[in-house]
Amino acid sequence: MRQNKAVIGSAVGFIGVMIIILLIAKPSALIFGIQRAGLYAAIALPMALVLGIVHIVNLAHGEMMMIAAYLTYSICVAFGLDPLVAMVPTAVIMFFVGMLLFRFTIRYALKAPELNQLILTFGLAMVLSQGINLLATSQPRKLSVDYVTSSATIGNVSFGTYDFIFLAVAVIFLTGLMLFLKKTRLGKAAMAVGQNPVGAQFVGINVISTYTIIFAIASAMLGIMGAFFITKMSIFPTVGGAYTMKSFCLVAMAGIGNLPMVLLSSLVLGISESAVQSIPGGTGWSPLVFFGLIIAVILFRSYAKTAGVK
Amino acid sequence: MKGRLLFACALLLIIAAPALIMASGAADSEADTIKFGGVWPLGDITGEQGSKAAQLAIDEINANGGLLGRTVELVIIDSEFSPEKGASAIERLANIDKVDFFVGGMASGVHLGQIPIMKKYQKVTMWTGAASHLAEAAVGPDQDWYFHLHPWDYNQGASYVTGWNAIAEKYDEISIDRWFLAYEEGPFGSSSFEATKMLFSDLEVDGEAFQTAAAGGGDYSAVIERAKKYNPDVFIWAGYDADALPLMEQSKTLNFSPALYVGAPPGWPADFGNSPLAENVTLYGMWAPAINAVSDVSKRFSDGYVAKYGALPATYFAPLGYTAIMILAEAVEAAGTVEKDAVIAALEAIKYESPLGEIISFEPSNVISHQGIKNQKILQWQNGRQEVIWPFEFATAEPVYPFTPWGER
Amino acid sequence: MKKTLNRTFLIIGVLLLAAPLFMGPYAQSVARSVLMYLMLAISWNMLVSSGQLSFGIAGFFGLGGYASTLAIVYLGMPPILSLVFAFILVGAAAWLLGLVALRLRGMYFAISTLALAEIFRVIIHNWHGFTGGPNGKLLPKLIFDGASVPTYLLMAVLAAGTIAFSMWFRRSKFHFAVTSIRDNEIAAMSTGINIYKTLLMVFAVTSAVQGLVGASFANMYGFVTPESSFNMNYTLLPLAMTLLGGLYTTWGPVLGAVLLGIVGEYLKLYIPYGHLIVYGIIIVLVILFMPNGIVGLSGKLLNGFEARKKGEVQL
């Protein structure tokens, strides 16, 4: 626990220092970085939930968000709805899609070696993205809505205001999940199953249904994110892959099972990436910062832990 | 344990043997068919439509009684965007399907893996993709069998110089002195930037990379902010179709509206023309349905494509794929044989009126001796359609200038 | 009995490896890429047998390709020597990185290797002057001037070597050490095995093999680019192949690579548009219905058969 505090402390410290530097040197980079962090965190949180409780690495994570975005797109085109309205049916449908996927595939791989779940979800990801490719071609699609381009100007810095919505979504997701896990019966059961599936079974918790519900909730969250995603980004069949990888990295950086750290890690990465990109010629190097930071944090935590043990 | 091993081996043999036997046994083809072998990434819209348009050309030839009285056939293999799959596909077309010609192509990264195999067989090749000068270097000089339709990266750059100078000369109000290039950091974008810097060296050029949405990026705020500060006459972005709308939206958000807003992606997203953001965006391309108005060949191709597949082609790889087949067919007709040297001689003399508008003939480029198209066109989105504004002989509309500021839309 | 089986086994293996030699360049080209994936899968499987899950195959693959290409381009090294050079260089790099990364376990190690692979790619992508940047680099000529038979023979020899190495490894004291790490690290420690050193050795050697495969890829196709050399498929497909064939065995990865490699090649001939969906479905179905891979399933069947014959159950 002490080690955890040290990590959180250094993350907060790091963010603080970055904020001060950027406020002085490049305030716009700070704003863009925070917005980017919101997007990262909102997509990574469902993965953190699944990995933390069901203990599977879902390589179809990004693809499920992609499916949700296509779902939103079709609903909007068919009924002339706004994506943020179409979000509701999308989330509901994704809840059941997640439930079915879990019931009919992933569930059977739970008892197999851990890696099977990884490859199973890799296969699912392939089926999902190639299926959409066949149905909708690889040509990107995007819904244009006016409010996305709303902006504000403070001093001589102008920036988009809509993009803060991703940060808001991330915070709502996080608060909702924390409340759910700490306060509700189902949430507490899920925590128990996550910590000790065998033990939970002994005290009468149905492990499989708990897993199913958690996976379905994560899918519904991805459904919500899919709707937000298409307001801002183009969608195409392979759009999800990069977000699977980024989410996976973020969750590992945060520490498996540690939801609040996902948000902090996203802030660290988003702001650092944005800072590097604000330097002319820096874009090419920004992935180096992303992955370098991830390795650094993981190593730091591991050493802090061994030091703590001694 | 031992039994398990034996079983595994037996299973391996059972799986592998028939497949390998099938691979080695030549497919018996009718001797009087003329065969084209095409390799495209079929999962991508460029390859999908390129291959379908090539099939359309084959169908048209057969409907008109074939070639030299023989039927024609197209064997299509997916390259899956992978060099090793693309290379195996060429081996298969050469050895199993025993095709007469290689056609197709998209993506330099795949083509680089195929070039050594093609050099081994030296069949007459009509390639529709791969713009990288590195691919041209890999083909090397004195390869008379290699015909390249798509302009190389430096050809495209040079054609923009010609085009913009011509436009600036014709329309006094258009100024093109200050350039800013936002380019995706992959090979496509960065070589565009290098070429622009070199070719426009007498003008002011600056640029900045961004991470394309096609590779998990999609945040353009840093690059737009720099461009805005630079205040260019011409702003060009060299990225992919997935970048188009988010980039326009973020430009609007940050209120960046240069006098010329140019996009240079290889394709555009679905329904881009319907977006209010698209109006007056200038673009580079080789073909647009608007060319139907100035070219009968284009109209015939486009109508045929719609009749067969039910939608207008969305990328210029469709007319390129069609052209690859048709131009070879015309050369075979002229040569009166499929024999290599005669076909090459016929191709060297050919003047083929293509659906892309121009009349294609083959000339040397920097390294190879048979380069087809060297020019891109400059087009503009007007009322939801791509209109050609340069070359002037194919122009379907006058350029709208300057780009309407976001506030006035 | 054991000798006969071993011999049968050897004969079948040699026959299979030799078969494409008589089947023309297309079969050799497909078989070559199958062998490539096979070596990646075997090497990955050796590391995973020690409980360390690597997502960095593509990273070492790409690093090997670049090491060999740059050595040929700048130092004029002969192609075969450049393969050795790539093997040693990647092995050394992995050893150095392993010194730090192998302190990590499980998912954390996996993510670190994934991140390392990305870091290699970014550095090579941005180092324009030396590596050719995003456009990549051409080799002046292919290995054996691109002749199909010798190139295939080279791959067959390398693959046979990798298989033999994996089989030797499974019988060596290292294997005992590594599996005990996988099963129980503390127990392994108490047996007096230096876990860290053993892991480091395995990591360096398996990464070197992956670098070697990357170097042969560059020499077979004559170029490297950051996009194709560090493609995530080189990480994910070997994983899928190993699991389909059967984890923790030498023959699992072999079977998986042959099966998926050949199925992939044939599917696309019959379903030109959309064959990758079927490919994905095959992966899903095999994982669901053969959780222990093909070798596991066949082992079970055979064991059942033998057990019935002997009237006893053994698993």
Side-chain angles (χ1 to χ4, degrees):
Chain A
M1 218 45 221
R2 208 215 261 135
Q3 162 248 346
N4 209 350
K5 270 192 190 135
V7 174
I8 293 178
S10 37
V12 171
F14 183 86
I15 296 171
V17 172
M18 288 297 290
I19 287 179
I20 292 166
I21 294 174
L22 285 175
L23 263 181
I24 299 164
K26 196 104 189 174
S28 58
L30 177 65
I31 294 166
F32 300 147
I34 292 174
Q35 293 173 338
R36 179 193 290 251
L39 181 70
Y40 285 171
I43 299 180
L45 275 168
M47 180 182 264
L49 178 68
V50 169
L51 191 59
I53 291 179
V54 193
H55 304 297
I56 63 166
V57 178
N58 180 11
L59 286 188
H61 177 78
E63 276 72 15
M64 288 176 68
M65 185 191 70
M66 179 271 297
I67 292 281
Y70 270 93
L71 209 58
T72 311
Y73 179 86
S74 344
I75 294 173
C76 291
V77 170
F79 304 104
L81 291 178
D82 186 278
L84 298 189
V85 179
M87 182 170 85
V88 179
T90 307
V92 173
I93 296 171
M94 284 309 291
F95 183 88
F96 290 105
V97 168
M99 198 177 240
L100 291 176
L101 268 183
F102 192 86
R103 277 275 163 186
F104 288 105
T105 59
I106 297 166
R107 177 188 156 181
Y108 296 101
L110 285 178
K111 286 220 175 88
E114 269 177 37
L115 276 168
N116 279 31
Q117 300 139 18
L118 199 78
I119 298 304
L120 175 73
T121 52
F122 164 64
L124 286 176
M126 205 166 184
V127 174
L128 293 179
S129 71
Q130 294 298 326
I132 291 291
N133 195 8
L134 203 62
L135 292 175
T137 77
S138 68
Q139 202 180 19
R141 278 151 211 280
K142 167 99 178 60
L143 291 168
S144 293
V145 275
D146 281 336
Y147 47 78
V148 179
T149 53
S150 62
S151 63
T153 307
I154 301 175
N156 55 358
V157 182
S158 46
F159 54 91
T161 44
Y162 174 77
D163 293 30
F164 284 113
I165 204 159
F166 292 107
L167 189 65
V169 173
V171 171
I172 293 170
F173 274 1
L174 180 62
T175 333
L177 280 180
M178 295 310 281
L179 285 176
F180 167 73
L181 292 175
K182 296 253 159 75
K183 303 280 177 207
T184 64
R185 252 188 80 179
L186 184 62
K188 282 182 199 158
M191 286 288 268
V193 171
Q195 273 151 13
N196 185 352
V198 182
Q201 195 132 34
F202 279 130
V203 296
I205 302 173
N206 187 334
V207 174
I208 288 294
S209 358
T210 315
Y211 280 169
T212 313
I213 297 283
I214 291 296
F215 196 80
I217 289 176
S219 308
M221 286 163 73
L222 282 174
I224 294 172
M225 255 330 279
F228 278 112
F229 190 80
I230 198 176
T231 59
K232 169 90 180 152
M233 312 282 242
S234 306
I235 53 166
F236 45 97
T238 51
V239 72
Y243 291 93
T244 306
M245 194 164 92
K246 283 199 167 143
S247 306
F248 191 16
C249 289
L250 271 169
V251 174
M253 186 173 166
I256 291 163
N258 192 341
L259 296 181
M261 270 302 278
V262 172
L263 190 56
L264 278 183
S265 310
S266 306
L267 280 170
V268 170
L269 289 178
I271 295 175
S272 319
E273 267 196 314
S274 187
V276 176
Q277 292 189 356
S278 72
I279 304 165
T283 306
W285 295 101
S286 73
L288 193 71
V289 175
F290 186 94
F291 293 107
L293 269 175
I294 282 162
I295 296 187
V297 169
I298 292 177
L299 282 175
F300 173 74
R301 215 186 19 233
S302 145
Y303 279 90
K305 198 169 154 192
T306 18
V309 167
K310 279 169 193 165
Chain B
M1 191 57 203
K2 283 292 145 219
R4 195 182 286 202
L5 282 182
L6 190 68
F7 189 86
C9 287
L11 204 66
L12 206 67
L13 201 65
I14 292 164
I15 296 161
L20 286 172
I21 287 163
M22 273 168 78
S24 63
D28 282 326
S29 64
E30 305 101 276
D32 56 341
T33 330
I34 298 177
K35 281 183 148 186
F36 296 80
V39 186
W40 282 275
L42 299 181
D44 191 68
I45 187 139
T46 51
E48 186 200 325
Q49 297 197 340
S51 59
K52 285 182 171 169
Q55 186 59 50
L56 171 71
I58 295 285
D59 293 352
E60 282 180 12
I61 294 169
N62 281 332
N64 290 330
L67 200 55
L68 307 176
R70 297 156 68 179
T71 47
V72 289
E73 187 192 338
L74 173 66
V75 184
I76 298 171
I77 301 186
D78 193 352
S79 74
E80 300 177 45
F81 265 126
S82 125
E84 74 257 23
K85 298 269 183 188
S88 293
I90 297 290
E91 291 278 16
R92 181 177 174 92
L93 290 173
N95 292 293
I96 311 293
D97 300 307
K98 300 201 192 311
V99 300
D100 300 288
F101 307 105
F102 293 136
V103 294
M106 155 69 196
S108 303
V110 177
H111 196 38
L112 283 171
Q114 294 169 318
I115 290 169
I117 319 290
M118 290 177 162
K119 282 169 107 165
K120 196 161 77 181
Y121 296 105
Q122 310 225 329
K123 287 182 191 290
V124 176
T125 299
M126 188 63 62
W127 216 242
T128 62
S132 165
H133 56 276
L134 212 63
E136 188 183 23
V139 175
D142 306 321
Q143 307 290 331
D144 62 349
W145 49 273
Y146 186 82
F147 291 79
H148 190 250
L149 279 176
H150 195 290
W152 299 113
D153 42 17
Y154 59 85
N155 291 139
Q156 306 192 31
S159 79
Y160 304 147
V161 176
T162 323
W164 284 112
N165 283 330
I167 290 173
E169 206 165 294
K170 185 169 173 190
Y171 305 97
D172 280 340
E173 70 276 21
I174 298 183
S175 85
I176 54 162
D177 297 329
R178 246 174 114 73
W179 295 69
F180 191 92
L181 200 84
Y183 59 97
E184 64 92 21
E185 50 164 8
F188 166 62
S190 46
S191 54
S192 305
F193 182 53
E194 294 304 318
T196 312
K197 261 199 308 203
M198 208 172 64
L199 290 158
F200 289 81
S201 53
D202 52 333
L203 303 171
E204 291 170 70
V205 181
D206 198 3
E208 180 65 58
F210 63 84
Q211 233 188 328
T212 170
D219 188 345
Y220 315 96
S221 31
V223 70
I224 292 170
E225 199 171 58
R226 262 202 76 195
K228 199 178 164 188
K229 205 164 274 169
Y230 184 77
N231 191 23
D233 295 322
V234 189
F235 170 78
I236 305 183
W237 63 272
Y240 294 100
D241 39 11
D243 297 314
L245 279 165
L247 184 64
M248 308 289 310
E249 279 171 354
Q250 291 183 28
S251 301
K252 186 181 172 193
T253 309
L254 299 176
N255 196 24
F256 172 59
S257 54
L260 277 166
Y261 199 118
V262 187
W268 291 84
D271 305 319
F272 181 74
N274 297 343
S275 165
L277 304 171
E279 196 56 20
N280 305 346
V281 171
T282 308
L283 70 143
Y284 296 147
M286 281 199 242
W287 185 82
I291 292 180
N292 291 351
V294 288
S295 156
D296 292 339
V297 188
S298 168
K299 179 148 178 44
R300 214 164 42 239
F301 154 73
S302 166
D303 291 348
Y305 192 94
V306 173
K308 191 167 159 75
Y309 301 112
L312 271 171
T315 86
Y316 64 73
F317 282 91
L320 271 183
Y322 180 86
T323 300
I325 300 286
M326 283 302 190
I327 205 165
L328 278 170
E330 202 171 300
V332 168
E333 198 78 65
T337 166
V338 290
E339 196 267 320
K340 182 175 154 192
D341 293 333
V343 174
I344 292 175
L347 279 170
E348 281 171 343
I350 213 160
K351 286 197 180 340
Y352 169 74
E353 195 186 346
S354 73
L356 300 149
E358 49 262 270
I359 292 168
I360 296 175
S361 54
F362 293 95
E363 294 165 32
S365 54
N366 278 2
V367 180
I368 63 165
S369 39
H370 296 137
Q371 172 60 33
I373 303 165
K374 286 188 174 171
N375 281 341
Q376 285 269 27
K377 297 181 180 68
I378 299 177
L379 305 93
Q380 197 171 48
W381 285 98
Q382 294 180 4
N383 303 316
R385 268 163 53 96
Q386 296 179 6
E387 303 285 356
V388 182
I389 58 173
W390 181 83
F392 300 128
E393 71 243 56
F394 306 122
T396 55
E398 296 283 309
V400 174
Y401 183 86
F403 185 69
T404 326
W406 301 110
E408 295 165 27
R409 283 169 186 246
Chain C
M1 185 64 189
K2 197 176 162 191
K3 259 188 189 165
T4 348
L5 268 171
N6 265 342
R7 234 174 258 155
T8 331
F9 177 44
L10 197 71
I11 291 167
I12 295 176
V14 169
L15 276 180
L16 264 181
L17 269 181
L21 284 176
F22 309 100
M23 293 180 179
Y26 169 57
Q28 284 153 19
S29 166
V30 174
R32 245 161 41 184
S33 85
V34 167
L35 292 180
M36 236 173 60
Y37 280 108
L38 182 152
M39 284 186 265
L40 294 180
I42 291 184
S43 63
W44 178 80
N45 179 54
M46 281 168 68
L47 184 65
V48 88
S49 300
S50 69
Q52 286 296 59
L53 172 61
S54 162
F55 279 164
I57 306 178
F60 295 115
F61 178 92
L63 200 62
Y66 268 91
S68 151
T69 306
L70 296 177
I72 292 173
V73 170
Y74 290 117
L75 306 175
M77 214 180 252
I80 295 281
L81 195 62
S82 83
L83 297 187
V84 180
F85 172 73
F87 181 85
I88 294 171
L89 186 107
V90 174
W95 190 80
L96 284 175
L97 293 168
L99 281 177
V100 183
L102 282 167
R103 306 266 178 205
L104 302 170
R105 292 287 176 271
M107 282 302 155
Y108 297 109
F109 177 77
I111 290 284
S112 304
T113 51
L114 180 74
L116 277 176
E118 282 299 305
I119 288 174
F120 295 157
R121 184 187 63 77
V122 174
I123 292 176
I124 281 172
H125 185 280
N126 285 294
W127 197 351
H128 291 241
F130 184 56
T131 61
N135 282 307
K137 211 86 200 154
L138 284 184
L139 277 171
K141 63 188 188 69
L142 303 193
I143 197 163
F144 305 120
D145 289 318
S148 195
V149 172
T151 316
Y152 176 75
L153 270 177
L154 172 75
M155 291 308 282
V157 168
L158 291 182
T162 313
I163 295 173
F165 176 62
S166 167
M167 290 178 71
W168 167 81
F169 178 76
R170 300 197 69 75
R171 282 176 206 166
S172 69
K173 64 176 175 153
F174 296 112
H175 178 246
F176 169 67
V178 226
T179 40
S180 58
I181 297 171
R182 184 179 88 219
D183 295 336
N184 187 341
E185 190 154 331
I186 293 163
M189 236 183 299
S190 64
T191 58
I193 299 159
N194 188 331
I195 297 171
Y196 183 60
K197 264 195 181 159
T198 315
L199 273 182
L200 201 55
M201 200 253 341
V202 179
F203 184 59
V205 173
T206 55
S207 305
V209 170
Q210 289 154 15
L212 178 69
V213 179
S216 11
F217 178 86
N219 276 286
M220 280 193 294
Y221 297 101
F223 75 100
V224 278
T225 68
E227 277 173 16
S228 60
S229 304
F230 291 95
N231 198 308
M232 265 310 272
N233 277 344
Y234 295 121
T235 296
L236 290 172
L237 287 180
L239 261 73
M241 288 164 174
T242 308
L243 271 112
L244 291 190
L247 202 57
Y248 309 141
T249 60
T250 297
W251 295 99
V254 174
L255 254 171
V258 172
L259 182 75
L260 275 191
I262 290 177
V263 162
E265 195 61 25
Y266 273 83
L267 269 180
K268 73 176 180 189
L269 296 180
Y270 298 113
I271 318 171
Y273 303 93
H275 53 90
L276 286 176
I277 302 182
V278 185
Y279 197 80
I281 292 175
I282 292 176
I283 293 180
V284 171
L285 290 181
V286 173
I287 292 286
L288 284 181
F289 293 104
M290 298 183 214
N292 296 311
I294 300 165
V295 170
L297 182 80
S298 56
K300 220 189 233 170
L301 288 177
L302 262 176
N303 280 338
F305 175 69
E306 276 165 19
R308 236 177 297 140
K309 212 165 58 176
K310 289 180 197 161
E312 59 183 327
V313 177
Q314 52 165 76
L315 270 169

